Amino acid sequence: MEENGTFIHCSEKMQEIQMIIDQLADTDVTVLIQGESGVGKEVVARSIHLNSSHRENPFVKVNCAALPQELLESELFGYEKGAFTGAYCQKPGKFELAEGGAIFLDEIVEIPLPLQAKLLQVLQDKEFPRLGGRQNVRVSVRILAATNKNIEESVKKGQFREDLYYRLNVVNISIPPLRERREEIPILVEHFLSKHGMKYNKKVDSLSGRAMQTLLEHHWLGNIRELENIIQRYVVFGNERVIIDGLVPLTSKDFLQEGEAENLPKREGLSQKKRFSLRTAVGKVVMEKESKLILDTLELTRWNRKEAAMMLNINYRTLMYKIKKYGLKGQFSSIREELYV
Ligand SMILES: Nc1ncnc2c1ncn2[C@@H]1O[C@H](COP(=O)(O)OP(=O)(O)O)[C@@H](O)[C@H]1O
Ligand SMILES: [Mg+2]
């Protein structure tokens, strides 16, 4: 995650999101951010916080999927001394730690139902007791939530409380996957090259047209996180092969959403060249072995082609054809040429 809040974009869709961020950053409205994994939900959440007048106050992230219910509850709301075995002293929760700033509830759909009820209450009252406590703690914290799951579907299935959904979904930001804003790939690449170049203190060349083409055509199921990882690897190894061989090019239209195939940039026969064929591969190995065997035999006979043809049990004309085909040459090839051809 970009701790410094760098939010790179140039597509129209992301420009719209930037406008929404600008408009709501300095309010206290709750925002629900949706989008596939790696699209930049956390980047957007941080950007909202950093554009608000509370930017000097904490931005506290909680991954709601990472902890079982009891631990998540104490993580969020804290506990009093003696609240449970092992609670040797009072501990504030993430809500308290985020006082004056924002709390980012990531993977919000994963919150177990009983905790959803408690969270709803906290959102309404802005106060809650720590676990094992009687007195309420008041907090002034902005709520930002995110999910890569279809939260509306979870509501329909009864896995996510509808009232909590409406509380969170005051403003909804839906971040499109990278494959729907491929025009941003070049500036993102530029950004990650300089970011990781600095981090590893390495100066790397900008990408060749071919490598960039591979990136432009890739399906990016892992979105910007996947792109950043591949550029990081390129910076570390300094070799474009990690891009060209590391990414399986788009070969199946199954992945694509309707209408996407037509929008793909033309591939200039790249996939044709890259497609592996067993027959071609085996053919190459056989040819290498054959030419080596013929050359060895010719050297053995000091380029006496008749003798070599006999030893190889092929006729003279076939041998001559193969010598030409493989461009075979040796110490005695020209002398013998005059004698035998
Ligand atoms: N617009 C962007 N500009 C710069 N870096 C980005 C952008 N979007 C995502 N990233 C980077 O990609 C990675 C994944 O982003 P993140 O916000 O964690 O995605 P999500 O929360 O949607 O899974 C992070 O390392 C982040 O820094
Ligand atoms: Mg995330």
Side-chain angles (χ1 to χ4, degrees):
M1 169 61 227
E2 299 277 335
E3 296 293 333
N4 62 7
T6 314
F7 175 33
I8 307 280
H9 56 81
C10 66
S11 66
E12 219 169 288
K13 287 172 186 172
M14 295 306 284
Q15 226 85 16
E16 275 169 34
I17 290 178
Q18 179 69 65
M19 267 164 55
I20 297 172
I21 293 174
D22 293 342
Q23 283 172 325
L24 62 73
D26 224 0
T27 69
D28 63 355
V29 298
T30 302
V31 185
L32 178 63
I33 306 164
Q34 290 181 274
E36 287 177 16
S37 185
V39 288
K41 296 185 290 296
E42 191 173 335
V43 168
V44 165
R46 231 172 251 274
S47 178
I48 293 172
H49 175 64
L50 291 173
N51 278 286
S52 76
S53 54
H54 303 289
R55 71 182 67 89
E56 302 295 335
N57 296 332
F59 174 93
V60 177
K61 175 185 165 176
V62 182
N63 184 342
C64 302
L67 298 171
Q69 181 174 326
E70 291 73 25
L71 280 176
L72 182 58
E73 187 172 11
S74 67
E75 180 90 349
L76 286 171
F77 307 112
Y79 51 81
E80 299 290 349
K81 182 177 175 179
F84 46 83
T85 330
Y88 297 117
C89 55
Q90 183 205 72
K91 192 179 172 229
K94 291 283 169 84
F95 268 98
E96 268 180 87
L97 294 176
E99 176 59 27
I103 190 166
F104 175 50
L105 303 173
D106 202 4
E107 319 257 11
I108 188 88
V109 170
E110 308 298 333
I111 292 198
L113 273 166
L115 251 189
Q116 289 179 24
K118 185 158 178 184
L119 184 61
L120 178 68
Q121 203 155 20
V122 173
L123 297 194
Q124 278 163 354
D125 306 340
K126 302 273 182 189
E127 58 178 23
F128 55 87
R130 299 189 192 101
L131 265 68
R134 294 204 185 145
Q135 261 185 325
N136 274 347
V137 184
R138 274 205 78 77
V139 289
S140 169
V141 170
R142 201 227 189 110
I143 318 278
L144 303 167
T147 178
N148 57 14
K149 304 257 164 64
N150 186 333
I151 192 168
E152 291 80 9
E153 199 61 39
S154 302
V155 170
K156 262 189 227 151
K157 286 191 194 149
Q159 293 159 347
F160 200 85
R161 290 180 69 115
E162 192 171 13
D163 43 10
L164 179 58
Y165 168 68
Y166 286 120
R167 268 273 157 188
L168 294 170
N169 197 27
V170 180
V171 171
N172 186 297
I173 294 181
S174 180
I175 308 180
L178 185 56
R179 78 190 80 89
E180 287 173 21
R181 45 180 164 119
R182 292 180 196 272
E183 65 268 42
E184 293 188 335
I185 291 172
I187 58 162
L188 285 165
V189 166
E190 204 56 47
H191 168 65
F192 293 135
L193 278 177
S194 89
K195 175 180 165 184
H196 293 288
M198 260 190 308
K199 185 168 152 197
Y200 297 106
N201 199 16
K202 284 200 176 177
K203 191 163 162 23
V204 285
D205 299 331
S206 45
L207 298 185
S208 69
R210 180 165 173 219
M212 183 55 82
Q213 190 66 19
T214 307
L215 296 178
L216 286 170
E217 288 166 13
H218 188 60
H219 193 63
W220 300 116
L221 283 177
N223 292 292
I224 299 178
R225 184 173 292 114
E226 187 184 358
L227 176 63
E228 176 162 9
N229 287 347
I230 197 97
I231 296 300
Q232 186 173 1
R233 243 178 291 157
Y234 167 64
V235 170
V236 171
F237 293 111
N239 188 335
E240 278 194 354
R241 293 242 72 88
V242 301
I243 297 173
I244 292 165
D245 299 340
L247 293 173
V248 182
L250 201 57
T251 49
S252 163
K253 292 197 174 134
D254 303 346
F255 275 111
L256 297 176
Q257 276 156 20
E258 226 170 311
E260 251 223 329
E262 297 88 85
N263 298 333
L264 281 179
K266 287 278 167 287
R267 274 195 272 167
E268 302 171 334
L270 181 72
S271 63
Q272 212 58 39
K273 260 185 254 159
K274 280 182 74 79
R275 196 169 296 150
F276 175 82
S277 148
L278 182 64
R279 192 190 293 177
T280 314
V282 170
K284 224 176 124 200
V285 172
V286 169
M287 274 161 57
E288 276 165 13
K289 287 265 182 247
E290 189 180 54
S291 77
K292 171 93 175 32
L293 187 64
I294 293 172
L295 188 63
D296 287 349
T297 313
L298 285 165
E299 297 295 353
L300 197 70
T301 60
R302 299 187 142 220
W303 280 79
N304 182 330
R305 293 167 180 78
K306 278 200 172 126
E307 206 181 331
M310 252 160 25
M311 280 175 74
L312 290 164
N313 201 18
I314 53 176
N315 69 42
Y316 182 77
R317 284 170 71 92
T318 307
L319 178 65
M320 292 312 293
Y321 165 74
K322 289 195 187 275
I323 289 173
K324 217 168 156 201
K325 174 180 164 192
Y326 295 130
L328 300 179
K329 280 199 173 64
Q331 211 183 335
F332 304 103
S333 54
S334 51
I335 310 166
R336 295 284 180 172
E337 198 112 302
E338 288 137 32
L339 291 174
Y340 289 97
V341 174

